[in-house]
Amino acid sequence: MKLGSLKSGGRDGTLVVVDRGLRRAAVAREAAPTLQAALDDWSRAAPRLRALAERLERGEAQDAFPLDPAALAAPLPRAYQWADGSAYLSHVERVRRARGAEMPAGLQTDPLMYQGGSDGFLGPRDPIEVESEDYGIDLEAEVAVIVDDVPMAASAETAGERIRLVVLVNDVSLRHLVPAELAKGFGFFHGKPASAFSPVAVTPDELGAAWDGGRLHRRLRSEVNGRRLGEPDAGADMAFSFPRLIAHAARTRALGAGTIVGAGTVSNRDRAAGVSCIAEQRVLETLESGAPQTPFLRFGDRVRIEMLDERGESIFGAIDQTVVRYPPPCGSL
């Protein structure tokens, strides 16, 4: 089934079930008021959500309405935790090369992961607001999972059993702010503004054979101003599976229901697949010609991220955002 959240209804939105074609939706009032509430009581809520999804597919859902992606918040408008890994080592190697950083020891055996801001996410059509183009605005197209409660020190097998939903992410980065932050030895903060999520989150069974229990084997398409940036396979070259990433996150702490775990910017070693962020594109251009040619995002640029199924139909709906200048609050210095 496919689940989304209307912006109306408060900070956590209103939970809706969406049909497979992403054309119609129905409010899931009998199952749970919000997606977080559903995750908190998944064993009770999930069967009711599935029953509503089946009625919606048959055209029998009461009060069904046409779906407007602009009316949707992120599936989880805010979350208790957002932990983002970096499972595609070709991306790690290329981006670190761009900022002259050494490769971390144990890169192939110990996942990289940071904890991002989760108190407010962007909806799939919300603008990317940034104060200055000088920050080096970049997209990062990713796949992430949303989990049920995961106990501390859970095995990868146990962690995999707690995956409830899969989503797409635009993990926006401000590249020119990142090096100075990391040089302090205390991780990202200013360089990682609010991330945006796909219109819907889907249960793994919706993905069919493309989901192998740990990886999603479909191509993730990224475009800037209508021009293809890349379409790498999200299942290829993913060094750490989602169960492995979740177990890593839970090594010394339990993860609460609704925790989002990302796999990082999708990247393939095959350059013909293109890339999922501008920073990586600039590295490849430098290797080929001695200098980067593609600029980072500017005000007015449009970013689109989407994944299609074997029939060419959108699985999660598209993240489709425009970069705009952030207007400082009145009275700010």
Side-chain angles (χ1 to χ4, degrees):
M1 59 187 166
K2 301 188 178 187
L3 305 176
S5 293
L6 297 175
K7 291 180 177 179
S8 58
R11 292 192 180 192
D12 295 306
T14 298
L15 179 61
V16 294
V17 172
V18 179
D19 70 358
R20 290 189 175 93
L22 303 176
R23 290 180 288 272
R24 296 184 66 76
V27 174
R29 58 177 60 88
E30 295 181 4
T34 67
L35 181 53
Q36 182 61 55
L39 290 162
D40 285 338
D41 193 11
W42 189 253
S43 61
R44 185 196 69 85
R48 298 185 182 192
L49 291 170
R50 289 191 182 280
L52 177 56
E54 292 170 3
R55 294 197 301 272
L56 187 61
E57 292 297 330
R58 296 194 301 265
E60 299 173 359
Q62 293 183 354
D63 302 324
F65 56 90
L67 182 67
D68 176 10
L72 294 173
L76 276 175
R78 56 180 177 172
Y80 291 117
Q81 186 163 212
W82 159 229
D84 196 16
S86 195
Y88 300 90
L89 302 189
S90 55
H91 170 76
V92 179
E93 293 165 359
R94 291 165 183 169
V95 172
R96 283 183 173 246
R97 183 181 299 179
R99 63 174 189 260
E102 295 183 0
M103 298 302 294
L107 178 65
Q108 298 185 12
T109 57
D110 192 31
L112 294 174
M113 185 169 285
Y114 81 95
Q115 189 171 37
S118 60
D119 52 336
F121 294 125
L122 300 177
R125 299 294 187 272
D126 291 345
I128 300 169
E129 295 184 320
V130 184
E131 283 189 294
S132 172
E133 292 177 344
D134 294 338
Y135 290 171
I137 310 163
D138 201 356
L139 70 151
E140 291 197 64
E142 304 188 12
V143 179
V145 296
I146 303 174
V147 301
D148 204 335
D149 291 309
V150 180
M152 184 172 69
S155 66
E157 181 181 4
T158 296
E161 295 171 352
R162 304 304 170 93
I163 295 173
R164 296 292 175 252
L165 297 163
V166 184
V167 290
L168 301 184
V169 187
N170 180 13
D171 183 40
V172 180
S173 288
L174 304 179
R175 297 294 186 187
H176 293 163
L177 302 185
V178 168
E181 284 197 308
L182 295 185
K184 297 177 182 179
F186 219 55
F188 296 113
F189 198 86
H190 293 146
K192 288 292 186 179
S195 298
F197 284 75
S198 51
V200 300
V202 308
T203 49
D205 60 286
E206 284 286 334
L207 302 169
W211 176 256
D212 66 5
R215 295 173 176 83
L216 177 52
H217 297 270
R218 300 300 306 174
R219 293 193 174 275
L220 183 58
R221 177 183 298 174
S222 300
E223 298 176 355
V224 176
N225 297 327
R227 298 185 63 179
R228 176 182 174 272
L229 184 64
E231 201 168 358
D233 187 327
D237 302 319
M238 184 178 173
F240 304 101
S241 68
F242 277 110
R244 177 71 177 85
L245 291 171
I246 298 164
H248 177 80
R251 180 180 177 186
T252 61
R253 68 177 86 173
L255 306 181
T259 293
I260 306 171
V261 178
T265 307
V266 176
S267 176
N268 291 167
R269 294 196 178 278
D270 179 7
R271 296 185 184 182
V275 296
S276 299
C277 71
I278 293 173
E280 195 168 334
Q281 176 68 20
R282 288 166 61 89
V283 172
L284 296 178
E285 291 168 349
T286 300
L287 292 174
E288 293 173 359
S289 63
Q293 301 167 16
T294 302
F296 287 115
L297 297 171
R298 298 179 174 130
F299 299 139
D301 284 348
R302 185 175 178 182
V303 171
R304 185 179 177 91
I305 298 169
E306 191 170 22
M307 181 177 282
L308 307 180
D309 64 16
E310 65 277 4
R311 300 180 301 276
E313 297 179 356
S314 187
I315 300 172
F316 303 89
I319 298 173
D320 196 337
Q321 301 178 276
T322 300
V323 182
V324 302
R325 185 188 298 275
Y326 172 70
C330 294
S332 63
L333 297 177

